[in-house]
């Protein structure tokens, strides 16, 4: 294991089909981790290890692996591109130090790349870009640079120029060291350095000048060179690129064709040269578990106490495997670790470095490591692990709320128990999966992020758990709110066996802004004159009363105010007050024009001009609100919001509507009222 300065934790992110899996595969191959190059379309790619991923040629679960390059260790996380799995991308970004963003030289900045870019902005992840598919017809390196500027607001710093394009693409020019590399196209060949061909020298000099100018905007040392008309040396330029990348002032951009094995070895160099070591990043911040206003920071040093973030749970060969990012300190196999959320200690049985789907046993893991551990039974995604005597809580990982659900039923009685167990495991692995039993029908509902997500879950029940299941139609998950102010009063006086209940409550409900959730407050005068617990019991009752609305959906975006409360000093005084609170809140909701909220998505469609009319017409039929129709290079870009319920089967419909020439991206926007 190399020192921490020689460690790079990186992810590869991209729009689906940009070539992320192919790039990953080639990186592994060059670093000697793979002995055979597996083509993604053959279903043989090493990183897409789940059978299902192989079949569909897509990446669903983020698998981690590591490789050695020069005298560096590169830990790699493969992340999925489909929007249903953005949480996988998000949590990966939390534990990465840097990212390689892959763009297609033909398609440029596609909607999903934009989403991922914004997520990486949010987590302040330094990035380099790889413009892939330079061998394809229509490949245009400069257009991608321009799109990065315009669409992403990025400052691209091209550190290479392509040699030739499309069929004739056969190498790159390194603008930092002013040299060229040509590739034979053999899958195991690296590009040896040679002189820049005479006929490309002028272009290369001009491009280097542009690189210097770009860096001068963000780096003082280069700005000085530039102002004094001095030529920056190769080392000065490389150092400035690293500084600019780390502080996210500029994005070094490379190019290549992963499928033809061109440029990928230079990408490995760039990962090492420009992306951060764990020590290059600011110390990680957390809070004191007993007092969230006390901030605690930990340096990426083995001397600091342990702070590790549990970012993923997987079930592998029946065993629970948790993925940890060690932020500071050292964790050893056999260690007892403290989980402040649970206020409990768990034992790490074994530690592994993960090579795709294979593992290597470790005795310990230091700062910056990404490792898998067995033995932790209760700790969940987003939890912090630390010593009991030096506790802290790192920011957790937010799981998005499910927007779609599906009823499942076991085909046989024998499978029914197994189904419950299997669903528990799936929900444990993936926090965006929710399982619950619907009271009225007794049906088991699985909640998830979209059609594909639910589809994959059902497939996994069938294959991994061997379960025969019948499934219902996917339905959207709804919420309820109130659209006006309402009042509710309750007077409860009940005699049940030997319990006597008495309580009175009055409250008001009113709408709150979208996304605010539910707040319950008291406006009772002279609260101190009430016996202990009475006000709290009434508030708890109000909270219970607005848990679900008249149509049975969870309520959100409203405020409940307790106005008065009445009690009798009986043995079950608090239960009586609570019951009155529940009833008063329900009555207030009924009085306040309750309304059902549906998941509304924001949608972007990129479509050729010729098909624009058809796409818009179809969207209108789906009750979409078209917000903007703009341009993306030669294509039209439609921005809209649309109820998720109207989007079932959209990918198929859009394909047939446009002969496969349109692409789209769909994200959760808000729970909102929609017109029928
Ligand atoms: P991902 O969805 O981003 O993981 O993309 P994949 O790696 O699965 O690649 C998508 C498709 O593009 C596959 O059919 C690849 O063979 C193809 N592909 C990837 N890289 C290149 C490239 O450099 N040139 C060409 N022509 N095709 C590529
Ligand atoms: Mg892939």
């Amino acid at each position: 294991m190399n020192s921490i300065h020689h460690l790079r934790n990186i992810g590869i992110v991209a729009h689906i089909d940009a070539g992320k899996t192919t790039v990953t595969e080639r990186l592994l191959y060059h670093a000697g981790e793979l002995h055979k190059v597996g083509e993604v379309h053959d279903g043989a790619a090493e990183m897409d290890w789940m059978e299902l991923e192989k079949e569909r040629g897509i990446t669903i679960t983020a698998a981690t692996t590591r490789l050695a390059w020069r005298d560096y260790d590169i830990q790699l996380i493969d992340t999925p591109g489909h929007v249903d799995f953005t949480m996988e991308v998000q949590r990966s970004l939390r534990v990465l130090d840097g990212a390689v963003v892959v763009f297609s030289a033909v398609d440029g900045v596609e909607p999903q790349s934009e989403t991922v870019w914004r997520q990486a902005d949010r987590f302040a992840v330094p990035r380099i870009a790889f413009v892939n598919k330079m061998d394809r017809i229509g490949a245009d390196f400069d257009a991608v640079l321009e799109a990065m500027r315009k669409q992403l607001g990025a400052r691209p710093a091209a550190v290479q120029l392509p040699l030739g394009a499309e069929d004739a693409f056969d190498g790159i020019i390194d603008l930092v060291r002013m040299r060229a590399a040509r590739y034979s196209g053999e899958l195991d060949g690296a590009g040896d350095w040679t002189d820049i061909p005479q006929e490309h020298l002028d272009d290369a000099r001009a491009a280097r000048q542009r690189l210097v100018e770009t860096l001068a905007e963000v780096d003082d040392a280069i700005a000085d060179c530039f102002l004094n008309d001095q030529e920056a040396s190769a080392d000065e330029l490389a150092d400035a690129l690293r500084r600019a990348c780390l502080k996210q002032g500029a994005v070094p951009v490379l190019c290549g064709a992963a499928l033809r094995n061109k440029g990928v070895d230079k990408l490995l160099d760039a990962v090492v040269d420009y992306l951060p070591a764990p020590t290059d990043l600011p110390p990680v911040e957390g809070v004191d578990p007993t007092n969230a206003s006390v901030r605690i920071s930990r340096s990426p040093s083995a001397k600091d106490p342990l702070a590790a973030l549990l970012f993923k749970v997987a079930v592998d060969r029946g065993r629970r495997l948790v993925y940890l990012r060690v932020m500071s300190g050292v964790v050893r196999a056999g260690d007892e670790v403290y989980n402040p959320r649970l206020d409990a200690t768990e034992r790490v049985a074994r530690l592994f470095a993960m090579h795709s789907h294979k593992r290597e046993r470790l005795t310990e893991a230091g700062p910056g490591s990404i490792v898998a551990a067995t033995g932790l039974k209760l700790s969940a995604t987003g939890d912090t692990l630390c010593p009991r005597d030096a506790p802290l809580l790192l920011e957790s990982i937010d799981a998005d709320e499910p927007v779609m659900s599906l009823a499942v039923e076991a085909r046989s009685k024998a499978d029914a128990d197994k189904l419950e167990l299997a669903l528990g495991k799936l929900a444990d692995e993936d926090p965006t999966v929710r399982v619950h039993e619907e009271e009225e029908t007794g049906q088991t509902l699985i909640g998830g992020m979209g059609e594909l997500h639910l589809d994959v879950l059902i497939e996994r029940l069938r294959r991994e758990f061997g379960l025969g299941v019948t499934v219902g139609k996917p339905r959207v998950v709804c919420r309820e709110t109130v659209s006006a102010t309402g009042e509710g009063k309750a007077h409860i006086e009940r005699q049940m066996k030997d319990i006597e209940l008495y309580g009175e409550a009055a409250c008001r409900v009113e709408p709150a802004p979208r996304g605010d959730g539910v707040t319950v407050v008291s406006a009772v005068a002279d609260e101190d004159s009430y016996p202990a617990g009475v006000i709290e019991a009434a508030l708890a009752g109000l909270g219970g009363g607005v848990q679900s609305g008249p149509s049975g959906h969870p309520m959100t975006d409203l405020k409940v105010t307790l106005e008065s409360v009445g009690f009798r000093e009986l043995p079950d005084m608090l239960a009586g007050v609570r019951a009155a609170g529940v009833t008063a809140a329900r009555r207030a909701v009924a009085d306040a024009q309750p309304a059902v909220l549906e998941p509304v998505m924001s949608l972007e469609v990129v479509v050729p001009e010729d098909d624009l009319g058809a796409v818009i017409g179809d969207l209108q039929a789906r009750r979409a609100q078209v917000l903007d129709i703009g341009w993306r290079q030669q294509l039209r870009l439609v921005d809209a919001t649309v109820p998720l319920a109207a989007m079932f089967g959209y990918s198929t419909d859009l394909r047939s509507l446009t002969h496969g020439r349109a692409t789209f991206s769909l994200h959760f926007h808000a729970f909102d009222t929609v017109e029928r």
Side-chain angles (χ1 to χ4, degrees):
M1 188 88 184
N2 291 307
S3 90
I4 186 166
H5 303 287
H6 282 218
L7 186 60
R8 298 289 180 269
N9 288 317
I10 65 156
I12 301 188
V13 288
H15 184 93
I16 197 148
D17 256 13
K20 185 179 55 212
T21 303
T22 310
V23 168
T24 308
E25 190 82 9
R26 296 295 189 263
L27 290 175
L28 287 169
Y29 183 79
H30 275 284
E33 296 291 330
L34 288 187
H35 304 295
K36 174 165 113 330
V37 176
E39 308 276 320
V40 178
H41 49 246
D42 296 344
E46 187 97 353
M47 291 290 283
D48 288 344
W49 52 267
M50 265 173 51
E51 203 185 333
L52 203 65
E53 297 180 338
K54 285 182 187 170
E55 250 172 49
R56 302 196 178 195
I58 56 168
T59 310
I60 298 161
T61 39
T64 70
T65 195
R66 68 154 96 188
L67 51 96
W69 185 248
R70 292 173 12 203
D71 50 350
Y72 289 79
D73 279 326
I74 300 174
Q75 297 193 104
L76 212 67
I77 295 208
D78 188 27
T79 49
H82 194 279
V83 64
D84 281 9
F85 305 99
T86 44
M87 175 158 182
E88 289 276 354
V89 181
Q90 234 173 65
R91 62 175 159 198
S92 306
L93 290 174
R94 269 297 296 286
V95 299
L96 296 172
D97 300 328
V100 174
V101 184
V102 178
F103 295 102
S104 153
V106 183
D107 307 300
V109 178
E110 293 166 280
Q112 189 69 31
S113 333
E114 226 176 296
T115 311
V116 176
W117 194 270
R118 282 194 288 266
Q119 282 175 340
D121 279 340
R122 194 174 132 222
F123 294 109
V125 178
R127 272 148 274 176
I128 61 180
F130 183 73
V131 179
N132 189 33
K133 303 197 184 183
M134 283 302 301
D135 61 317
R136 288 256 320 263
I137 293 176
D140 189 340
F141 185 59
D142 289 332
V144 179
L145 295 174
E146 185 55 24
M148 287 178 69
R149 252 176 239 124
K150 278 225 172 99
Q151 284 165 237
L152 303 176
R155 184 180 282 108
V159 297
Q160 295 179 343
L161 273 190
L163 276 174
E166 305 182 344
D167 260 2
F169 172 72
D170 72 344
I172 54 103
I173 295 173
D174 169 359
L175 298 173
V176 176
R177 302 198 185 270
M178 290 302 270
R179 55 190 175 172
R182 293 233 192 235
Y183 295 85
S184 64
E186 291 298 314
L187 289 181
D188 52 358
D192 291 329
W193 293 117
T194 63
D195 290 339
I196 297 175
Q198 198 62 39
E199 68 273 25
H200 292 286
L201 257 180
D202 286 345
D203 281 351
R205 287 201 186 106
R208 189 179 207 266
Q209 187 58 22
R210 283 196 296 278
L211 172 61
V212 170
E213 281 167 25
T214 303
L215 285 174
E217 290 168 23
V218 291
D219 191 88
D220 291 343
I222 299 297
D224 282 347
C225 285
F226 186 66
L227 289 176
N228 299 327
D229 231 0
Q230 277 168 348
E231 181 123 358
S233 74
D235 285 343
E236 280 170 337
L237 213 49
D239 289 348
L241 274 163
R242 180 172 181 81
R243 284 192 296 269
C245 180
L246 295 194
K247 68 176 186 196
Q248 295 146 66
V251 182
V253 186
L254 295 86
C255 63
L259 188 66
R260 314 267 168 240
N261 191 33
K262 294 176 181 175
V264 177
D265 52 333
K266 309 304 180 230
L267 179 60
L268 277 167
D269 282 334
V271 164
V272 162
D273 292 339
Y274 305 133
L275 290 177
T279 40
D280 289 319
L281 298 172
V284 62
E285 292 249 334
V287 297
D288 183 333
T290 57
N291 181 354
S293 61
V294 178
R295 302 202 64 83
I296 298 174
S297 85
R298 295 265 188 267
S299 304
S301 149
K303 293 200 187 79
D304 262 28
L306 173 70
L309 180 71
L310 195 165
F311 69 97
K312 186 178 167 69
V313 176
V315 180
D316 186 27
R317 282 164 259 174
R319 279 252 208 86
R320 194 170 191 258
L321 198 64
V322 304
Y323 286 77
L324 304 175
R325 158 80 199 233
V326 182
M327 303 294 184
S328 70
V330 177
V331 59
R332 291 178 189 81
D335 269 1
E336 298 274 331
V337 290
Y338 177 65
N339 179 327
R341 181 183 63 87
L342 300 170
D343 187 21
T345 299
E346 293 208 272
R347 196 170 152 272
V348 176
R350 289 177 179 179
L351 281 178
F352 303 96
M354 300 299 282
H355 298 262
S356 194
H357 202 217
K358 289 168 284 195
R359 343 151 144 186
E360 174 197 341
R361 281 280 283 278
L362 298 174
T363 50
E364 60 171 47
S369 315
I370 293 176
V371 290
T374 58
L376 301 168
K377 299 206 167 54
L378 303 171
S379 299
T381 300
D383 284 356
T384 306
L385 301 174
C386 52
R388 193 182 262 281
D389 56 8
L392 93 162
L393 262 181
L394 301 168
E395 191 194 329
S396 185
I397 297 172
D398 295 333
D400 292 333
E401 289 290 315
V403 290
M404 219 177 246
S405 76
L406 189 71
V408 279
E409 203 180 323
R411 288 238 177 85
S412 69
K413 225 175 154 59
D415 277 351
D417 290 345
K418 279 206 277 174
L419 177 63
E420 201 184 317
L421 219 69
L423 288 174
K425 281 186 178 164
L426 291 178
D428 182 25
E429 271 190 28
D430 178 351
T432 59
V433 176
R434 302 287 160 82
V435 180
H436 86 273
E437 191 150 314
E438 204 170 54
E439 269 173 42
E440 286 149 41
T441 58
Q443 271 183 327
T444 303
L445 291 181
I446 316 181
M449 300 313 297
E451 269 181 292
L452 178 62
H453 189 206
L454 292 173
D455 227 29
V456 166
L457 291 169
I458 297 300
E459 281 295 319
R460 292 186 62 189
L461 287 178
R462 294 198 171 121
R463 291 181 198 208
E464 277 171 51
F465 299 91
L467 283 169
V469 288
T470 317
V471 298
K473 265 202 155 117
R475 289 184 306 187
V476 299
V477 172
C478 293
R479 295 276 187 279
E480 284 181 79
T481 190
V482 295
S483 4
T485 301
E487 303 274 345
K489 270 199 183 108
H491 177 122
I492 295 219
E493 207 165 349
R494 225 182 277 152
Q495 185 78 40
M496 299 182 301
K497 282 194 194 146
D498 38 358
I499 302 172
E500 192 184 350
L501 280 188
Y502 182 90
E504 292 171 59
C507 72
R508 184 175 70 239
V509 301
E510 58 202 298
R514 290 283 168 270
D516 266 22
V518 173
T519 13
V520 182
V521 295
S522 160
V524 175
D526 216 2
E527 283 185 15
D528 295 343
S529 64
Y530 289 81
V534 165
I535 301 288
E536 288 76 9
L539 291 174
L542 296 184
V546 297
Q547 224 160 42
S548 58
S551 308
H553 306 295
M555 295 208 79
T556 188
D557 302 343
L558 55 90
K559 184 177 168 194
V560 194
T561 309
L562 178 67
E563 290 176 321
S564 69
V565 56
F567 62 95
R568 259 183 215 160
E569 300 220 12
L570 299 165
D572 290 296
M573 173 179 74
L574 297 183
V577 171
R578 200 183 129 81
V582 171
T583 306
R586 292 216 172 117
R587 289 181 179 155
V589 166
D591 183 44
Q593 297 175 25
V596 172
L597 302 176
E598 283 184 43
V600 172
M601 313 298 281
S602 44
L603 169 74
E604 279 188 356
V605 188
V606 178
V607 55
E609 178 90 65
D610 290 350
D611 294 326
L612 182 64
V615 167
I616 300 280
D618 172 72
L619 283 179
Q620 274 157 356
R622 293 176 197 267
R623 298 177 286 144
Q625 272 196 301
V626 175
L627 306 175
D628 186 43
I629 302 174
W631 289 94
R632 178 157 294 177
Q633 282 139 350
Q634 275 66 260
L635 300 171
R636 301 313 302 258
L637 170 70
V638 181
D639 229 330
T641 56
V642 58
L644 177 61
M647 292 301 280
F648 288 93
Y650 188 63
S651 51
T652 317
D653 295 350
L654 185 67
R655 205 175 304 131
S656 62
L657 214 54
T658 65
H659 307 97
R661 293 190 296 169
T663 55
F664 74 102
S665 87
L666 196 64
H667 327 265
F668 176 70
H669 168 65
F671 279 102
D672 212 341
T673 47
V674 295
E675 281 168 36
R676 297 274 150 198

